[in-house]
Amino acid sequence: MKLTEIPVENLPGVGQQRKENLSELGIESIADLLEYYPYRYEDYRISDLTRAEQDERVTVRGIVYGQPSVRWYGKKKSRMSAKIDVNGIHVNLIWFNQAYLREKINPGQIIVVSGKWDRHRLQITVDRTFLSQAEQEKHVGRLEPVYSVTGSVKVNGLRKLIHEAFIRYGNRIEEILPEELRRRYKLISRPRAMYFLHFPKGREEGRQARRRMVYEELFLYELKMMWLKKQARMENTGIAHSFAEEKVEEFIDRLAFPLTNAQRRVVQEILADLRSTSQMNRLLQGDVGSGKTVVAAIVLYANYLSGYQGALMVPTEILADQHAASLKQLLSPLGLQIVALTGRMTARERRDALGQIQMGLADIAVGTHALIQKGVTFHNLGLVITDEQHRFGVKQRATLREKGEVPDVLHMTATPIPRTLAITYYGEMDVSTIDEMPAGRQPVDTYWVKKEIWPRIVNFIEKECRKGRQAYVICPLIEESEKLDLQNAEEVYGQLTMALAPIRVGLLHGRMSSAEKEEVMAHFAANEVQVLVSTTVVEVGVNVPNATVMVIYDADRFGLAQLHQLRGRVGRGGGTATCVLVADPKSETGVERMRIMTETTDGFEISRRDLEMRGPGDFLGVKQSGLPEFKIADLNEDLRVLEIARADAQELVNRPDFSSNPETRALYEYLQEENLESKSFD
Ligand code: ADP
Ligand code: MG
């Protein structure tokens, strides 16, 4: 039987109660138990006191001299002290609230204690005491694993249980990595690595164990990715779109501007996917303003020419309306029906829209996640595009994918991720990148100023508006408790309304209803309102070309990606645009972010530096990204390993004898057992 199939209650001492407690930690089987790794170790190796630093944790063995003495503070609190001789050094020991030890500690006895070292007083504040020979043999001289536990499971008990599991089942741990890979990277065997992760004798053993398991974990993850990708390519279950190339070219020729080379290239990549029999799963990344919308329009048109419906999914209602409008402008003249489906439609409008979608009268449906709710049925969905896909969970995308038979899927994002990270992070997706801005686009002039010159910023806004331009003023969302030290959007709005009259100021924030938001946006788009004070609702995708000023209040409260997105809202109509970051950053990193923003307007460069500052784990926001939470690997440290593992995995799955070669057989079987259908890392 496999260790994954042997329940923990097979171990002695695990009854119903214990079993339930373990289950709360996600431990059901012996395999779960063995893979429940410690997050750190207590070091009970004997220290050299002559070298120990102040406040360092030390473990010493010494001979007790004199009787321990206890002082009581009330009934419960006590302070006990004793003296021991550690290789000639007379050390004071202090125990708090462990007076019961006094009876057990006698002059002449050899004890081992562990605790915090005060080198000035030659004193240790003890937190672990090993009295008996047996206890000392068991614990001293090694690193003890510390596990994260909750409720009634205690670290000590878990440690014993894991030890027991190794004794009984350790010999059944099977190697999964081919010899060849283990030799290439000098990796220790799986059973040894697993044992040493729990019970290393020293740091080096622990390191080797970690190295081995990190590689394995990342390799298996990438293997799944590569396998999925290969399956998808071989399955041929996708729609083979067939359309007249000339018609698409004609459409491109009739656009108001020539496409950039990058746009042409990605259009070709996507069209090739549409034609192919395998299902497209492609990421299109391009900096803010690089022109992704028109690319979407082109491929939606090709999809329409092939006889299929398309869907465009966006994160906010404002964007849904805006995109519907842009698509109508581009595609209505060619006879396409475009329908917007949003949450705020009346029941009747919604029914109408749904009917059109279901009957195939609507060629393109644009909407928020309302698009993937139950009750939305497409006539024949051939292509799904999600804009700013990082706003959608993996699950939502999967649901939508399941709507049609097997629509091709394109995800667009303006948060560029450095390429190495992108291909790894997006695992089984193909990646297209628009790495070029439309000609004549001028970088947004960016300044970082202190809050004290706010009055001058107000003057600047006024001057620009007089010239017929428009401005955004962004204030970060704030929590109740912070209200006092932060100006919120409402205050700024009130102040600007008075200071700028008769220039009109609008306010947009997250607590407004969709209809209210839209109204404000519409006024701003029509230049009936010149200044828009907003929380970050305008962050993604909003397009008002006449807006040339972006003021971001408390800019240090935003991350780089968000600042860059916000800045991308201006300078979209050609001509010069200005971004003013108003901030008195309190942290190093805040200062650094302001500096980066003023130094470059290149989104890829910004994300590269963001990645450098934060590390990939934080950068991607592992929790909401759909990336698995690895048990031991840490992307901040192990990114390089991930890349190597990916290359190895790719090479391996493509071997003709992958499934039959005894060396790779275990991996093949692993893939069969994993439920890969639902993209199981979801
Ligand atoms: P994003 O990639 O941020 O979604 P958009 O698609 O909204 O960018 O495009 C930004 C602006 O650039 C739009 O006003 C669009 O019409 C314009 N645009 C797109 N492609 C080109 C091009 N090749 N030449 C000139 N302007 C372009
Ligand atoms: Mg866009």
Side-chain angles (χ1 to χ4, degrees):
M1 220 188 330
K2 301 227 164 227
L3 293 179
T4 46
E5 289 159 10
I6 304 175
V8 272
E9 57 264 41
N10 273 24
L11 289 173
V14 183
Q16 190 57 30
Q17 187 55 49
R18 199 85 197 282
K19 178 189 154 195
E20 276 166 28
N21 296 339
L22 287 168
S23 160
E24 275 164 38
L25 298 176
I27 301 173
E28 312 271 357
S29 67
I30 299 292
D32 294 337
L33 186 64
L34 296 180
E35 286 171 25
Y36 198 83
Y37 299 119
Y39 65 95
R40 67 180 178 87
Y41 304 90
E42 293 281 20
D43 193 345
Y44 293 124
R45 292 172 302 167
I46 299 294
S47 322
D48 179 354
L49 281 187
T50 61
R51 293 193 186 178
E53 304 275 333
Q54 178 66 16
D55 292 338
E56 190 180 313
R57 202 192 154 76
V58 294
T59 301
V60 297
R61 176 179 276 124
I63 250 184
V64 181
Y65 64 95
Q67 280 293 349
S69 65
V70 175
R71 212 186 305 156
W72 285 94
Y73 305 86
K75 278 230 159 77
K76 290 211 171 117
K77 292 188 176 159
S78 71
R79 179 182 189 274
M80 177 169 93
S81 61
K83 287 195 187 324
I84 57 170
D85 180 321
V86 181
N87 300 328
I89 305 176
H90 291 184
V91 178
N92 252 337
L93 302 181
I94 305 290
W95 288 263
F96 287 104
N97 308 325
Q98 296 181 66
Y100 64 92
L101 285 172
R102 178 169 49 181
E103 311 306 318
K104 302 184 177 172
I105 296 178
N106 299 302
Q109 189 181 347
I110 293 176
I111 64 171
V112 176
V113 292
S114 190
K116 194 157 129 187
W117 175 230
D118 181 341
R119 59 183 292 186
H120 306 299
R121 293 190 169 132
L122 298 184
Q123 180 167 297
I124 296 172
T125 309
V126 178
D127 56 32
R128 276 296 286 276
T129 315
F130 305 106
L131 295 174
S132 71
Q133 183 79 23
E135 244 187 320
Q136 292 175 18
E137 258 164 37
K138 196 158 155 215
H139 299 282
V140 177
R142 62 185 87 235
L143 297 166
E144 258 192 0
V146 183
Y147 302 92
S148 95
V149 288
T150 52
S152 42
V153 182
K154 296 281 178 290
V155 173
N156 242 326
L158 193 59
R159 212 180 269 151
K160 276 191 196 133
L161 206 60
I162 291 173
H163 200 259
E164 187 66 33
F166 268 107
I167 291 172
R168 286 172 188 253
Y169 299 104
N171 61 349
R172 294 213 218 161
I173 299 172
E174 285 168 12
E175 182 55 74
I176 186 161
L177 293 179
E179 168 88 39
E180 174 196 345
L181 289 177
R182 270 189 294 142
R183 219 174 315 122
R184 188 182 308 159
Y185 303 117
K186 302 196 166 54
L187 301 174
I188 61 175
S189 75
R190 185 162 211 269
R192 275 165 60 91
M194 284 179 66
Y195 184 77
F196 290 153
L197 262 187
H198 290 280
F199 308 110
K201 284 208 208 69
R203 295 277 165 206
E204 186 52 26
E205 242 176 30
R207 212 171 359 249
Q208 291 308 329
R210 186 174 183 283
R211 244 184 100 240
R212 143 83 209 208
M213 295 311 286
V214 165
Y215 179 84
E216 173 187 314
E217 189 169 39
L218 297 177
F219 174 79
L220 292 180
Y221 169 69
E222 290 296 343
L223 192 74
K224 273 194 270 186
M225 294 293 147
M226 292 300 149
W227 185 248
L228 283 171
K229 207 165 168 173
K230 191 179 171 197
Q231 297 304 102
R233 216 175 293 131
M234 287 182 350
E235 264 168 14
N236 294 336
T237 49
I239 300 166
H241 289 76
S242 139
F243 49 89
E245 189 88 40
E246 319 84 67
K247 290 222 166 173
V248 178
E249 281 302 326
E250 248 170 60
F251 173 58
I252 294 176
D253 286 344
R254 262 195 261 118
L255 291 170
F257 42 73
L259 291 185
T260 61
N261 289 329
Q263 283 171 318
R264 284 194 170 278
R265 192 188 59 240
V266 301
V267 164
Q268 284 316 318
E269 286 168 359
I270 298 163
L271 293 185
D273 278 2
L274 284 184
R275 281 190 217 98
S276 122
T277 50
S278 43
Q279 189 185 9
M280 168 165 75
N281 187 17
R282 184 173 285 276
L283 176 77
L284 172 60
Q285 54 172 353
D287 207 346
V288 219
S290 63
K292 293 183 293 297
T293 313
V294 69
V295 170
I298 295 167
V299 299
L300 281 166
Y301 181 53
N303 174 63
Y304 160 81
L305 290 175
S306 317
Y308 290 95
Q309 288 175 298
L312 177 60
M313 204 157 85
V314 296
T316 66
E317 312 230 308
I318 291 179
L319 267 186
D321 286 329
Q322 187 186 296
H323 271 103
S326 327
L327 289 180
K328 270 181 195 156
Q329 198 194 346
L330 290 164
L331 296 171
S332 292
L334 297 161
L336 277 74
Q337 281 299 327
I338 289 131
V339 166
L341 191 71
T342 56
R344 46 97 205 155
M345 295 171 105
T346 64
R348 168 135 193 222
E349 287 169 331
R350 189 178 156 77
R351 215 179 316 123
D352 270 5
L354 288 177
Q356 290 185 37
I357 293 170
Q358 181 156 14
M359 290 188 294
L361 296 175
D363 299 306
I364 296 174
V366 185
T368 61
H369 50 261
L371 261 191
I372 60 167
Q373 275 157 12
K374 285 210 179 70
V376 184
T377 316
F378 284 84
H379 178 63
N380 60 349
L381 185 59
L383 173 64
V384 172
I385 302 182
T386 72
D387 194 15
E388 309 303 348
Q389 63 94 34
H390 58 289
R391 291 291 176 106
F392 289 102
V394 176
K395 285 227 173 70
Q396 286 170 305
R397 301 201 302 256
T399 316
L400 187 46
R401 222 178 290 142
E402 285 154 15
K403 286 261 162 195
E405 293 92 285
V406 264
D408 282 339
V409 180
L410 179 69
H411 309 283
M412 305 199 294
T413 178
T415 308
I417 293 177
R419 191 171 167 81
T420 47
L421 188 54
I423 53 171
T424 318
Y425 167 45
Y426 291 110
E428 85 292 4
M429 276 192 232
D430 295 304
V431 179
S432 288
T433 304
I434 305 182
D435 50 5
E436 180 186 3
M437 284 294 187
R441 203 52 77 69
Q442 287 182 34
V444 177
D445 291 327
T446 305
Y447 305 94
W448 165 30
V449 302
K450 297 288 166 69
K451 285 184 188 174
E452 62 189 36
I453 75 151
W454 177 245
R456 280 172 54 196
I457 309 295
V458 177
N459 286 344
F460 174 70
I461 296 173
E462 182 171 12
K463 214 177 78 206
E464 288 298 303
C465 289
R466 290 251 164 84
K467 285 193 228 158
R469 291 343 221 350
Q470 289 168 272
Y472 295 98
V473 179
I474 307 295
C475 306
L477 258 186
I478 52 166
E479 280 141 41
E480 266 330 281
S481 60
E482 291 173 333
K483 263 198 180 140
L484 290 177
D485 56 290
L486 261 173
Q487 261 172 297
N488 65 28
E490 272 167 41
E491 278 167 17
V492 172
Y493 168 71
Q495 193 203 356
L496 288 180
T497 307
M498 294 217 280
L500 294 175
I503 291 167
R504 294 192 55 187
V505 184
L507 175 64
L508 192 69
H509 60 71
R511 271 162 301 167
M512 291 163 71
S513 74
S514 311
E516 288 170 330
K517 279 190 225 166
E518 247 161 73
E519 197 181 323
V520 176
M521 254 344 271
H523 285 316
F524 188 64
N527 200 0
E528 289 155 18
V529 160
Q530 286 77 47
V531 178
L532 183 64
V533 179
S534 172
T535 55
T536 52
V537 230
V538 297
E539 179 195 343
V540 229
V542 172
N543 193 20
V544 179
N546 191 47
T548 55
V549 179
M550 169 63 65
V551 177
I552 307 175
Y553 200 87
D554 275 320
D556 55 316
R557 299 201 153 232
F558 295 101
L560 275 173
Q562 225 178 351
L563 288 171
H564 181 63
Q565 282 285 321
L566 286 168
R567 179 168 58 184
R569 295 308 111 214
V570 295
R572 302 169 76 85
T576 57
T578 312
C579 174
V580 186
L581 309 168
V582 188
D584 303 334
K586 293 194 184 62
S587 67
E588 260 325 278
T589 54
V591 171
E592 185 63 18
R593 287 202 297 273
M594 296 306 106
R595 206 173 284 144
I596 293 173
M597 285 296 292
T598 54
E599 280 168 14
T600 178
T601 52
D602 176 346
F604 282 89
E605 172 66 12
I606 287 175
S607 79
R608 195 185 60 73
R609 299 192 47 183
D610 198 9
L611 176 65
E612 219 172 70
M613 276 172 70
R614 292 198 287 160
D618 269 358
F619 178 86
L620 294 172
V622 170
K623 281 236 158 73
Q624 81 261 359
S625 69
L627 204 66
E629 284 186 65
F630 294 112
K631 277 189 182 146
I632 2 185
D634 173 357
L635 286 192
N636 291 319
E637 292 169 29
D638 303 320
L639 187 61
R640 182 85 193 102
V641 183
L642 185 66
E643 282 164 21
I644 291 169
R646 181 178 180 87
D648 292 339
Q650 181 160 25
E651 194 268 324
L652 229 69
V653 292
N654 286 318
R655 285 186 191 175
D657 65 346
F658 174 61
S659 60
S660 57
N661 189 325
E663 270 294 300
T664 49
R665 182 84 204 161
L667 292 175
Y668 178 74
E669 275 162 16
Y670 163 80
L671 288 172
Q672 304 310 305
E673 275 162 33
E674 287 286 301
N675 174 19
L676 293 178
E677 292 227 327
S678 59
K679 316 253 163 182
S680 58
F681 47 89
D682 192 339

